[in-house]
Amino acid sequence: MNAILLMLLGLGAMFLGYVIYSKFIAEKIFKLDPNFRTPAHEFEDGVDFVPTNKYVLWGHHFTSVAGAAPIIGPAIAVIWGWVPAFLWVVFGTIFFAGVHDAGAIWASNRNKARSIGALTGDVVGKRSQSLFMIVIFLVLLMVNAVFATAISGLLINFPSSVVPVWGAIFVALIIGQVIFRKWMNLGTVSILGVVALYALIYAGPSFPIELPETVFGVSDNAQWILVLFAYAAIASLLPVWMLLQPRDYINGLQLFIGLFLVYGAVLISGPELVAPAFNTNVPEGTPSLVPLLFVTIACGAISGFHGLVASGTTSKQLDKETDLRFVGYFGAIGEGSLSLATIIAVTAGFATLADWQAVYHSFGQGGVTAFVQGGANILQNGLGLDVDLAQTLLTVMAVLFAGTTMDTGLRLQRYIFQEWGNIYNIKWMEKAAPATLLAVGTCLLLAFGAGGADGSGGLLIWPLFGTTNQLLAGLTLLVITTMLVKLGRPMYVTLIPLLFLLVMTIYALLIQLMGFYHKSDWFLFSLDLVVLIAAIWIALESASVLTRLVRENKAAKAS
């Protein structure tokens, strides 16, 4: 099959989803009100609560939720064939991710920009809130520790990406001042920012930077991890308009230009998909497609981490409630389009089936490296770009997204510690600086305590990310569904995804639990068991709460 047809089918379906389905959700389900006073205006403080242009906010939200996950997940999942990955990405984006992301912003916006974790106590119950906070903490811990490892690996493997990656931070700082102080209109500053960013990408191969292999016994990988967490800590304390918003916005524009180049190269070169539609000859040890597909591809179909961003930072910057359709739902469309591009890159970016099989020789292979290699081949064949330049462009794209996710993730982890300080009346923990130190400290403890001197400890618990993340998405959908029921509105648009995710997550957790048992991996076995108990508990809690609310609504109507 030609990749052009796959591209047109996928993008066409997602476009219709935004035009038709998101309009229905916004008007008939959430009933967005342009006159509702958003928390960004009610609690404006110039640091976290800042009313923001919807295009800039879309850039923040989209690049914060994207990270490297919509590349990694699909690039691994195609081992089962490109059809299952394609269908889950497209339909998951339209009917799961868009509703989940927009719904999380709506729920938080209607409750003074409180996080989904904090809302759970009021909407569902205190028991669910306690479970939710634990799951949230685990997800953020995994994301921050693992993305630091992933970024450091890319900076080491592709030294040409170092200059554009770190140069983008200085570009963002300048853009932040220009936008905030209104020195230029958004269109002009956008063009100048993109030009500066791509000038850095072009210069990258000419000025590769490599750290020493060891400094006082610290490996280059560990050096980068320490630098990344030091940067993320500072970034998480700065006002959102100064770095977070402009960095995310310019990265969002950069992604769409990158996607335009990749899709344009596909149209010009028309590569064939060399990977099988359904892989009936998977390598030994590959788990079953159901349910693992639905936890391997999270970002790009539906991801619980999105709910944390939506209710943690995005809702605090929403200028008008009606903006959340564009910010939330279209943000999910952007991520789905990135996952679709990844599927094409890793299935049509290899010359032959044998070349593809050489990469996908066991489950877990592929990832960002396959995306960079396959995508660079497509860019070279379609647009004539030099391979080194194409690889630098795609690597920078992946690293910048992972970096913006780390920025937001650490800020969210700081919020979690501050919320715990509020819940348990620990006054010093409610302050930003101590909470940030706790967030960084726990990440470094996992990175170096569990991983040793190279700082790769985050990878130790990463096998549980997919299931834990999807459980988190189910929890978010539970909060949204409960709010809809209380308001007497149709709940099927969130209830169906909620039930599907709970079934697939519990099924996947059981499979993983047996795997860890047979490997005698008692650490992951114990963590898996904790998450499994939480998933079953939440499923029972969901049934109890929703059944009670439905009965109360029927009784109220009858009287």
Side-chain angles (χ1 to χ4, degrees), residues 81 134 149 341:
I134 293 171
T149 304

Side-chain angles (χ1 to χ4, degrees), residues 10 50 65 74 137 197 205 209 219 256 275 357 364 409 457 461 504 524 530 544 548:
V50 179
V65 301
F137 181 76
L197 186 59
I209 294 178
S219 69
F256 264 86
Q357 290 173 331
I461 62 173
M504 291 301 163
L524 287 181
V530 169
S544 174
R548 175 175 55 81

Side-chain angles (χ1 to χ4, degrees), residues 549-559:
L549 288 174
V550 170
R551 286 175 180 170
E552 289 176 357
N553 283 350
K554 287 182 179 179
K557 289 180 180 179
S559 61

Side-chain angles (χ1 to χ4, degrees), residues 51-63:
T52 303
N53 177 286
K54 71 176 183 178
Y55 298 105
V56 176
L57 183 56
W58 170 85
H60 156 71
H61 177 79
F62 168 51
T63 54

Side-chain angles (χ1 to χ4, degrees), residues 87-344:
L87 292 176
W88 176 228
V89 163
V90 172
F91 288 103
T93 295
I94 297 170
F95 297 108
F96 286 65
V99 177
H100 171 277
D101 293 15
I105 302 174
W106 169 74
S108 179
N109 181 64
R110 286 284 170 163
N111 289 276
K112 301 185 182 299
R114 296 173 68 198
S115 72
I116 287 293
L119 278 178
T120 308
D122 297 336
V123 177
V124 183
K126 293 299 181 183
R127 289 176 300 183
S128 292
Q129 182 184 31
S130 299
L131 290 171
F132 208 153
M133 296 294 276
I134 293 171
V135 173
I136 289 172
F137 181 76
L138 281 174
V139 168
L140 289 173
L141 191 63
M142 290 185 220
V143 166
N144 291 331
V146 171
F147 276 25
T149 304
I151 295 169
S152 64
L154 287 170
L155 292 175
I156 292 169
N157 293 331
F158 300 97
S160 61
S161 66
V162 174
V163 166
V165 165
W166 292 100
I169 296 171
F170 294 99
V171 172
L173 286 169
I174 296 170
I175 289 175
Q177 295 293 328
V178 172
I179 293 177
F180 184 75
R181 303 185 189 286
K182 299 179 181 179
W183 291 339
M184 296 181 188
N185 63 57
L186 186 60
T188 302
V189 74
S190 300
I191 293 171
L192 292 175
V194 169
V195 169
L197 186 59
Y198 274 88
L200 289 168
I201 292 173
Y202 182 78
S206 300
F207 302 97
I209 294 178
E210 299 181 55
L211 294 181
E213 289 190 13
T214 58
V215 175
F216 300 114
V218 179
S219 69
D220 51 358
N221 186 71
Q223 293 170 48
W224 276 126
I225 289 174
L226 291 171
V227 170
L228 285 165
F229 274 114
Y231 157 74
I234 296 170
S236 70
L237 290 169
L238 293 176
V240 290
W241 63 266
M242 188 175 292
L243 179 59
L244 192 69
Q245 282 182 356
R247 177 166 154 80
D248 291 352
Y249 174 65
I250 203 68
N251 285 347
L253 293 178
Q254 184 258 154
L255 170 72
F256 264 86
I257 293 172
L259 287 177
F260 178 79
L261 293 174
V262 171
Y263 284 133
V266 170
L267 281 173
I268 293 170
S269 62
E272 294 290 326
L273 303 174
V274 299
F278 295 93
N279 192 3
T280 57
N281 188 30
V282 295
E284 185 178 353
T286 301
S288 60
L289 185 151
V290 177
L292 268 296
L293 170 69
F294 304 104
V295 296
T296 301
I297 300 179
C299 295
I302 181 170
S303 167
F305 180 73
H306 295 199
L308 301 184
V309 176
S311 65
T313 57
T314 304
S315 63
K316 293 178 176 63
Q317 303 169 60
L318 194 67
D319 184 31
K320 296 180 181 178
E321 187 174 65
T322 47
D323 290 349
L324 73 82
R325 177 191 173 201
F326 178 79
V327 173
Y329 198 101
F330 192 67
I333 294 293
E335 189 173 63
S337 65
L338 174 57
S339 288
L340 177 61
T342 299
I343 292 171
I344 292 173

Side-chain angles (χ1 to χ4, degrees), residues 45 47-49 60 113-115 118 133 136-137 140 235-240 244 308-309 311-317 407-423 429-432 435-436 439:
D45 61 5
V47 179
D48 293 320
F49 291 86
H60 156 71
R114 296 173 68 198
S115 72
M133 296 294 276
I136 289 172
F137 181 76
L140 289 173
S236 70
L237 290 169
L238 293 176
V240 290
L244 192 69
L308 301 184
V309 176
S311 65
T313 57
T314 304
S315 63
K316 293 178 176 63
Q317 303 169 60
D407 292 358
T408 303
L410 201 65
R411 186 180 288 260
L412 291 172
Q413 204 167 353
R414 184 247 290 179
Y415 290 163
I416 292 296
F417 278 109
Q418 288 180 289
E419 284 185 1
W420 275 338
N422 180 260
I423 292 170
M429 196 184 290
E430 295 181 46
K431 298 178 181 178
T436 300

